[in-house]
Amino acid sequence: EQTMQINFLSHFLMVSELIEEMTNSPDPRVIMVGSVTGNDNTVGGGGVYPIADLKALDGFRAGFDNPIAMADGYGFDGAKAYKDSKLCLMMMSNVLHAKYYKLKGVSFSSIYPGCIAESPLFREKRDWFRKYFPIFMKYITGGFVSEQEAGQRLFQVAHDPRCSKSGVYWSWNGGPREDRGLEALEKGGQISGGGGAGGGWDSIFENDQSGKVNNIELGIDLFKYSTEITGAKWPDVNAVRSPCPTLNVIGAISKQMIEKEELKRMVERPGLNEDGTPIQITKRKRVKRVAQKVVGGVVSNTFGRVGRFASRRLLGRVPETALEGSFQDEKPEEENKLLQMQTQVPLNEVKEAAVEEIQNLDKLQELAVLADDNEILQKEIAEKVFAGYKSDSQLINEVMEVNGVQHKERTTV
């Protein structure tokens, strides 16, 4: 279908061809021309039928082959096809920003330059629509811009240092009545309104994106299906390499060794295939492993022998414990003493010991009774001996009464 093919799929393929070369530029930028109609968090995008909506990408999933003409796989609608293509561009800008901005240094952004109502975009509309739609956009909605001003806005995002920021949706504040009326004078010639004409270079701002545009999961699927449809080849997403030259040298040396060890680990893998057969490594990896064995054997018997000889001379021989292994003797576990008694002591001796323990318990009980009797006798003797003496409290009371202190005051003290 021409709308999606020209507006989105061709751009998608072109960016995939250019991205590697763009990394050599000092300030590379990819700018997707979106639309307010693809951003359904606005009146123009969410209040005017049809609404941009890719649904589950059934059209992309099926490859967009005839008779499929829509992204969602349903019946064709020209206005919706246009809005869907703009939604795809804005979503793809976010996906490419997430995948390649930090790895490649290329900035990805989208813009809405305003409604270019006098362009050939509406060439297939009725005459009355083509005549009055620009007037409606100029004086009613305020979203109209000329082709020249839209081009200037695209130029600004491509060159303005402020617009090097990636993952942004750029818009402009303007209005159809610039330099006209009291409101324009109060606002310095600018009338607020996303996308309208006027406002100048400094009216640019970061606009909000809708939930559909920010749906990163659907965006990743869109990237996948678009790649299959166009045959685009994207650069591998590799980890960022350290600029440290020492790490780069070490990485280059260890790369082959790491690959060799990984092939060893992949020789035997647990698990079965869907048909029940054991999982086997690919033929390519088997050939590579055999080649590594042959090369490794040759190197080991030539350069390796020289290296081992030099190593023994410079570093000394490897300790035997390093070759054969060393083990720390484990402390033997203590056996249960009760189990030892049950297994080693005869049964009659166990009975005699038990009787002796019972007799010892009886003696302890008798001693405890005698101790209680002794305490009772000591108390009785003490009472008889000290019966004629006054207690401490009685002596204190007598002294206090002599000094004239009342009993009530004594209690308070």
Side-chain angles (χ1 to χ4, degrees), residues 1 7 31 61 69 76 81 104 134 138 158 207 214 255 331 336 388 396:
E1 191 275 318
N7 283 2
I31 305 158
R61 197 189 307 269
F76 180 76
K104 298 297 181 181
K138 285 180 182 180
N207 206 345
N214 285 317
K255 181 179 179 181
K331 183 179 179 181
N336 192 302
I396 291 171

Side-chain angles (χ1 to χ4, degrees), residues 180-299:
R180 297 180 186 179
L182 180 62
E183 185 178 5
L185 293 174
E186 291 174 350
K187 297 185 178 181
Q190 296 187 28
I191 295 177
S192 178
W201 193 271
D202 292 328
S203 67
I204 191 170
F205 68 99
E206 296 180 24
N207 206 345
D208 295 329
Q209 302 183 64
S210 68
K212 291 177 182 176
V213 177
N214 285 317
N215 188 342
I216 193 67
E217 289 83 6
L218 193 67
I220 292 172
D221 288 340
L222 177 63
F223 178 88
K224 172 186 173 184
Y225 297 135
S226 300
T227 300
E228 293 174 357
I229 291 170
T230 61
K233 295 180 180 179
W234 294 92
D236 294 332
V237 181
N238 298 321
V240 179
R241 293 185 177 274
S242 172
C244 177
T246 304
L247 290 178
N248 291 333
V249 172
I250 294 174
I253 295 173
S254 61
K255 181 179 179 181
Q256 296 297 327
M257 182 180 66
I258 293 172
E259 185 178 6
K260 179 181 178 181
E261 295 300 321
E262 280 293 286
L263 282 174
K264 288 181 182 178
R265 193 176 61 86
M266 294 178 182
V267 171
E268 296 181 1
R269 281 199 298 169
L272 302 173
N273 295 313
E274 293 182 357
D275 57 358
T277 58
I279 297 176
Q280 301 288 339
I281 61 173
T282 62
K283 183 178 180 181
R284 180 181 178 183
K285 288 184 178 180
R286 288 199 298 270
V287 172
K288 197 169 186 179
R289 177 158 169 74
V290 171
Q292 282 186 349
K293 281 186 176 181
V294 174
V295 174
V298 173
V299 172

Side-chain angles (χ1 to χ4, degrees), residues 12-29:
F12 182 86
L13 179 60
M14 181 170 63
V15 173
S16 71
E17 296 287 340
L18 296 175
I19 188 171
E20 284 286 15
E21 294 297 327
M22 290 183 68
T23 58
N24 299 323
S25 301
D27 184 17
R29 306 181 191 183

Side-chain angles (χ1 to χ4, degrees), residues 90-218:
M90 297 165 73
M91 291 177 68
M92 193 50 53
S93 176
N94 290 341
V95 172
L96 295 177
H97 160 74
K99 287 177 70 71
Y100 295 113
Y101 172 60
K102 289 187 176 180
L103 296 176
K104 298 297 181 181
V106 180
S107 171
F108 296 90
S109 62
S110 59
I111 70 170
Y112 172 53
C115 181
I116 313 171
E118 293 178 336
S119 73
L121 175 66
F122 302 101
R123 61 189 178 276
E124 296 179 2
K125 293 291 184 180
R126 295 181 176 88
D127 291 339
W128 66 265
F129 180 89
R130 295 171 60 187
K131 180 178 180 180
Y132 293 108
F133 182 67
I135 299 173
F136 176 79
M137 296 303 295
K138 285 180 182 180
Y139 299 104
I140 304 299
T141 67
F144 172 87
V145 293
S146 66
E147 295 180 51
Q148 182 181 5
E149 187 173 11
Q152 290 173 350
R153 290 177 172 180
L154 177 59
F155 175 85
Q156 179 181 359
V157 178
H159 292 276
D160 191 340
R162 293 175 296 179
C163 300
S164 62
K165 187 175 181 180
S166 186
V168 175
Y169 171 48
W170 299 106
S171 292
W172 287 260
N173 277 321
R177 299 174 298 279
E178 185 183 13
D179 296 329
R180 297 180 186 179
L182 180 62
E183 185 178 5
L185 293 174
E186 291 174 350
K187 297 185 178 181
Q190 296 187 28
I191 295 177
S192 178
W201 193 271
D202 292 328
S203 67
I204 191 170
F205 68 99
E206 296 180 24
N207 206 345
D208 295 329
Q209 302 183 64
S210 68
K212 291 177 182 176
V213 177
N214 285 317
N215 188 342
I216 193 67
E217 289 83 6
L218 193 67

Side-chain angles (χ1 to χ4, degrees), residues 308-316:
R308 288 191 293 272
F309 176 79
S311 175
R312 286 195 299 269
R313 290 295 182 182
L314 295 174
L315 304 177

